[in-house]
Amino acid sequence: MKVGVLALQGDVREHISALIACGINPVEVRRPSELEDVDALVIPGGESTTIAQLSEIFDLYQPIKNRIDAGMPVYGSCAGMILLADSILDAKQGQKTFGGLDITVRRNAFGRQVDSFETDIAFADGSDQLTRAVFIRAPWVEKVGSGIEILATVDSHPVAVRSKTLFATSFHPELTADHRIHRYFIEEVARPALEKVK
Amino acid sequence: MSEAKGTGRVKRGMAEMLKGGVIMDVVNAEQAKIAEDAGAVAVMALERVPADIRAQGGVARMSDPDMIEKIQAAVSIPVMAKARIGHFVEAQVLQSLGVDYIDESEVLTPADYENHIDKWDFTVPFVCGATNLGEALRRINEGAAMIRSKGEAGTGDVSNAMQHMRKIGGEIRRLSSMREDELYVAAKELQAPYELVKEVAQSGKLPVVLFTAGGIATPADAALMMSMGADGVFIGSGIFKSGNPAQRAAACVKATTFWNDAKVIADASRGLGEAMVGINVADLPAPHRLAERGW
């Protein structure tokens, strides 16, 4: 499986390390030709307005949207969650997303950086172990549409959701040494989806 | 472990999210919006850009809270603000305003010529300037969650930024090549804590994100600093002291992402109009050099 990390801006390196720890040999994606080469994509944490804008300038916006529509498995953390949401609140005027997940996400919902936090959360991958989740100016999911599974919550706000091929967390598993969330994306989201295509 | 705010991971993690991005100095809400629209990952709210502080002289201090709040209200990206070196009350004020990062900055007039702020004492993260590895590690030891090489702010002359990035990079490479029993003396020479020196020697990098600042005025300058190993760039006077700020800002953002693609940098550099006029650092008398503030 060839997994790309969208490398326009953000904590690309941390996602690459986490994927390597899951036995994947990831590549950076900055150009349309690099996108064509990958089977699955990770959208890192970063500034969602910046990433959206760079994707338009460098002709990646529509190709990513098309791949999402065609069923490419994608995982987005934090800014990545915002970029996968069909609709966003507290957005910059005219801010675009790739969309695909039928959710409404509120940007910076947990507050500014002074309100950023880490905590132990339950993640519904079948394990009863808690996982340490780091929330940085994090969004939350305010509304979920049909076919969206909620995998984790904080104070009753969904912070991890998935559809068939798309998966998003408002926290940053790439900042911890626990690679369970990335493994979940690879083994439970991407691999089944890609095997079906074959 | 339960919920915790202001941990090292939360503070340093915030800087990780800014990587590959451009942080721009802005003096009002209108400029902040231009910066956000151009793709800035954050803005630095201040009353006067370094070039004006230089030109007008006098004591430079923390910005008016009203002005910072107007900028916070105008944009959705992170807002940073500067406190004077050692002025922990200015930092407390900025934290109470909810700024996302505090820059304990040599661009403002220092409040304390011996001690920096004890940054562990705060929930909000700090970025500090450094001209060499020892200085960077002393700031990290005081709790800085992000380092920027100082360069020489407000000049549009990139030579000092280059010198500081080479110095920091060179000193890291030197540590990495040392025997473990030589690190004690290296720590003494760097005037930095042994534990941090050992960590850098083993990992081959700073334990926090390293940005570049001071004198970056063109897309090629930004790309140059990225190729020297910077994780991202601060652009102060370079944007809003130029002929066409919106276009120059967007061009610097492009060049920072595609720093290793000369064709993209060439396209970004076309038709930008006048760059900031600039001052050669060599022509600045030593007392007017900001990089020498902080120790």
Side-chain angles (χ1 to χ4, degrees), chain B:
Chain B
M1 278 191 293
S2 56
E3 183 175 318
K5 289 182 182 174
T7 61
R9 191 148 55 185
V10 165
K11 289 174 169 178
R12 292 179 181 189
M14 166 77 198
E16 303 286 353
M17 301 311 145
L18 302 171
K19 281 190 301 199
V22 182
I23 300 167
M24 302 179 194
D25 279 3
V26 298
V27 301
N28 56 43
E30 193 194 346
Q31 289 188 353
K33 276 196 176 137
I34 292 173
E36 184 181 41
D37 285 340
V41 287
V43 290
M44 176 74 68
L46 73 177
E47 242 149 39
R48 297 184 285 171
V49 294
D52 288 336
I53 292 175
R54 228 176 241 303
Q56 296 161 6
V59 174
R61 311 179 177 89
M62 174 188 81
S63 298
D64 184 331
D66 274 347
M67 172 265 186
I68 293 170
E69 282 178 350
K70 273 184 202 151
I71 289 173
Q72 286 174 319
V75 294
S76 65
I77 55 177
V79 175
M80 302 183 166
K82 288 183 194 286
R84 281 180 266 179
I85 290 173
H87 205 314
F88 53 85
V89 173
E90 282 189 351
Q92 287 162 2
V93 170
L94 293 174
Q95 175 166 274
S96 79
L97 297 176
V99 304
D100 294 299
Y101 238 96
I102 295 176
D103 184 359
E104 185 181 17
S105 178
E106 71 283 357
V107 166
L108 305 184
T109 310
D112 186 328
Y113 281 89
E114 281 176 12
N115 305 287
H116 281 66
I117 296 170
D118 176 4
K119 293 164 275 285
W120 297 113
D121 228 20
F122 289 77
T123 309
V124 67
F126 281 75
V127 54
C128 288
T131 59
N132 57 53
L133 181 60
E135 197 177 356
L137 295 181
R138 289 193 290 280
R139 296 296 85 77
I140 293 167
N141 192 44
E142 294 156 3
M146 178 178 183
I147 293 292
R148 57 174 171 75
S149 63
K150 282 181 181 171
E152 188 56 41
T155 60
D157 178 346
V158 81
S159 63
N160 272 28
M162 193 66 180
Q163 187 191 330
H164 299 156
M165 283 303 287
R166 280 205 188 275
K167 179 92 176 158
I168 292 168
E171 286 173 330
I172 292 175
R173 287 190 292 278
R174 183 168 166 268
L175 283 187
S176 298
S177 69
M178 281 182 164
R179 282 167 52 101
E180 225 173 281
D181 62 2
E182 293 166 346
L183 294 175
Y184 300 99
V185 173
K188 186 191 78 177
E189 285 167 359
L190 288 168
Q191 299 176 49
Y194 169 73
E195 287 305 322
L196 284 174
V197 169
K198 194 173 155 199
E199 192 182 339
V200 171
Q202 282 168 351
S203 69
K205 62 183 202 54
L206 285 184
V208 302
V209 164
L210 171 65
F211 268 50
T212 299
I216 292 136
T218 69
D221 286 351
L224 177 70
M225 300 327 298
M226 293 300 284
S227 24
M228 291 307 297
D231 290 316
V233 295
F234 283 87
I235 307 187
S237 321
I239 288 174
F240 289 100
K241 285 286 162 194
S242 76
N244 188 344
Q247 203 186 339
R248 182 167 295 268
C252 290
V253 170
K254 289 183 212 170
T256 301
T257 295
F258 283 89
W259 55 270
N260 54 359
D261 187 332
K263 205 175 163 310
V264 173
I265 301 163
D267 284 341
S269 305
R270 284 174 213 280
L272 291 182
E274 233 169 286
M276 73 178 281
V277 176
I279 311 167
N280 294 326
V281 175
D283 297 340
L284 279 178
H288 294 284
R289 292 188 193 167
L290 304 176
E292 283 158 29
R293 294 171 170 175
W295 26 90

